[in-house]
Amino acid sequence: MAVPISSQAGARERRGLGGGAFTRAQVAVLAGGFLVNVGSFSIYPYMAVLLRERMGVGMAQVGVVLGAATLVQFASAPATAAVAERLGLKRSLVAALVLYSLGGSAFFLGTGSPLFTIAGLLLISGGGSLYSPAYRSYLVHGVGGEQRPRLVSAGNAAGNLGIAVGPVVGALLVQRPDEMFTIVTAVYTSVALGHVFLRRERRTADAPPVEPFRRMMHGVAVLPFVVTALSFYVHMQFYQYLSSYAQGRVATLLFGAAMMGYSLGLVVVQPLMAQRVEKMSYPTAMAIGFGCLTTGMVAFTGGNGPAIVVGVAAISVGSAVLFLKNDLEALARSKRSATVVFGQQRLAVGVGSFLSGVVGGTVYEVFERGGFLPGFWLVVAAQCVVLPIFVLVVGRWRVRCLPWDRHVQRD
């Protein structure tokens, strides 16, 4: 049960900060989301190099380890969301941060032991799997539907700001890994201690029932799940392979600035467009999102600095619209709790990212061997056009043929 709140304290909590923009608890959680991603993304971009140095193995073995960590983080999300639903959001946030802290400590101890390094990676991945649905759900807990776009976009913005800052911090410390992991662990531990003082969430009268673990995928909003997987399938091909493509074509500093600009674009665009994105139809949001992704992929074929900057900017705008609308539609179409919905969406992200690695890597290698890498981006651009149309057509057919599903398939 939640800690009771006096009417006076409750009134202060509802007023929040800045004339009612956010409650104190929401501000604390947003700050935590920023700091957690600063810590995580000061490590992630350099993980392949770190594992290779510590384990003394090739990239194939490193890829297996990173793939296993990704599987832990994304495939387990529905299960960890179900755990968070039972454990409580505040407790889940603290527990996740304890896992993060243990992972940072294991990285520190892993200087002379590859096993500690792998354990650290898996602990942080497990922490991320529990933290993400609890973090997002805490922000929207107990609020009306009209407030959700602002809070979901603010949560995404805080996370993306951490993603933008983290690699810069990592670049300053990558040559001093002991200092890096000490600082990262201190950040995780500090956020955990701060979250201990969060107000426990209260169960609302209209909250959906907690269902058994075996039904953790029950009530999934099918169309948002599929579109989210598709969004990340095409998006991760940009995120994973653009750095290799840019080598020798664009100055490293310019590429790094462009990728930081991508994350900062999400920070700015999502909150500004939150209400508009919430009001527009799903097909319209898909047209804008995938249209921008298509534009960005085509721009990359130019193979020079201005072309890559323009492409990254277009993808930043498209991703801001698409990712936000996917989450809002999943919340609107599902009768499950927000915690479970975000866990299901996290699984969709994992499915899309996995397919991107398997399919995108193979296609990239084909064009690389053929000596025409710009063709890879044209293939991805074509998929950005064809696949969303196919999904919408199948979705509409499903509504007509399966009328009992209309409550979760409205467009």
Side-chain angles (χ1 to χ4, degrees):
M1 296 296 292
V3 176
I5 306 174
S6 70
S7 58
Q8 183 178 2
R12 287 196 302 269
E13 185 70 14
R14 285 190 296 272
R15 282 196 299 270
L17 302 177
F22 301 103
T23 67
R24 290 181 178 86
Q26 288 166 346
V27 170
V29 171
L30 288 170
F34 163 71
L35 291 171
V36 164
N37 273 2
V38 170
S40 298
F41 282 86
S42 65
I43 298 174
Y44 284 156
Y46 313 102
M47 186 53 63
V49 175
L50 179 68
L51 288 173
R52 196 171 188 177
E53 289 178 352
R54 290 190 172 184
M55 297 173 65
V57 297
M59 287 302 291
Q61 289 85 352
V62 168
V64 170
V65 174
L66 292 175
T70 303
L71 190 64
V72 168
Q73 186 164 354
F74 291 110
S76 63
T80 54
V83 169
E85 191 178 40
R86 288 158 176 77
L87 187 62
L89 301 178
K90 173 188 170 179
R91 290 175 177 173
S92 298
L93 289 171
V94 174
L97 285 158
V98 169
L99 290 176
Y100 274 125
S101 301
L102 291 173
S105 300
F107 275 131
F108 178 80
L109 296 172
T111 303
S113 172
L115 289 179
F116 273 110
T117 300
I118 295 173
L121 178 60
L122 294 176
L123 283 167
I124 286 181
S125 297
S129 180
L130 180 59
Y131 186 85
S132 180
Y135 164 75
R136 295 168 184 271
S137 185
Y138 192 98
L139 289 173
V140 301
H141 180 77
V143 305
E146 71 282 356
Q147 294 177 290
R148 280 180 170 178
R150 177 173 59 86
L151 291 168
V152 172
S153 63
N156 291 343
N160 284 313
L161 185 59
I163 292 173
V165 173
V168 178
V169 175
L172 296 174
L173 298 171
V174 68
Q175 300 301 325
R176 303 188 300 278
D178 287 348
E179 292 181 25
M180 174 191 286
F181 297 132
T182 300
I183 292 172
V184 168
T185 304
V187 168
Y188 290 148
T189 304
S190 300
V191 177
L193 290 174
H195 281 12
V196 167
F197 299 99
L198 284 176
R199 189 179 299 281
R200 289 214 14 218
E201 72 280 1
R202 294 171 293 177
R203 184 167 178 81
T204 57
D206 59 347
V210 177
E211 300 203 32
F213 275 100
R214 68 178 183 276
R215 291 168 65 84
M216 58 192 177
M217 290 301 294
H218 175 70
V220 65
V222 177
L223 186 57
F225 184 94
V226 173
V227 176
T228 298
L230 174 59
S231 302
F232 275 86
Y233 163 68
V234 294
H235 170 268
M236 289 303 290
Q237 296 189 53
F238 140 72
Y239 207 80
Q240 289 172 331
Y241 306 120
L242 184 60
S243 59
S244 296
Y245 177 74
Q247 282 186 331
R249 292 181 169 88
V250 179
T252 302
L253 183 60
L254 178 61
F255 176 77
M259 294 305 291
M260 177 179 283
Y262 164 80
S263 295
L264 294 177
L266 293 179
V267 172
V268 174
V269 172
Q270 274 201 346
L272 288 177
M273 298 185 64
Q275 295 299 328
R276 292 183 181 179
V277 171
E278 193 272 337
K279 292 176 181 177
M280 69 177 59
S281 69
Y282 206 6
T284 300
M286 289 175 64
I288 293 172
F290 283 108
C292 288
L293 262 63
T294 303
T295 301
M297 302 301 176
V298 172
F300 293 153
T301 62
N304 54 41
I308 286 179
V309 169
V310 168
V312 170
I315 289 175
S316 180
V317 174
S319 298
V321 173
L322 203 51
F323 295 170
L324 177 58
K325 190 63 175 179
N326 287 341
D327 283 345
L328 294 176
E329 284 293 307
L331 288 168
R333 292 169 183 251
S334 176
K335 294 185 177 181
R336 300 298 300 275
S337 70
T339 309
V340 170
V341 171
F342 284 127
Q344 293 169 344
Q345 285 294 98
R346 190 76 169 167
L347 175 60
V349 172
V351 171
S353 300
F354 174 76
L355 290 175
S356 174
V358 173
V359 178
T362 301
V363 176
Y364 188 93
E365 186 173 348
V366 168
F367 280 98
E368 187 175 43
R369 288 179 177 177
F372 184 59
L373 268 180
F376 169 76
W377 301 112
L378 293 177
V379 170
V380 178
Q383 293 176 83
C384 290
V385 175
V386 174
L387 293 179
I389 295 174
F390 175 76
V391 167
L392 282 178
V393 169
V394 172
R396 292 184 185 278
W397 171 85
R398 187 170 181 264
V399 170
R400 288 196 300 269
C401 297
L402 305 175
W404 55 84
D405 261 2
R406 284 179 184 164
H407 68 284
V408 292
Q409 290 297 324
R410 52 180 173 76
D411 281 334

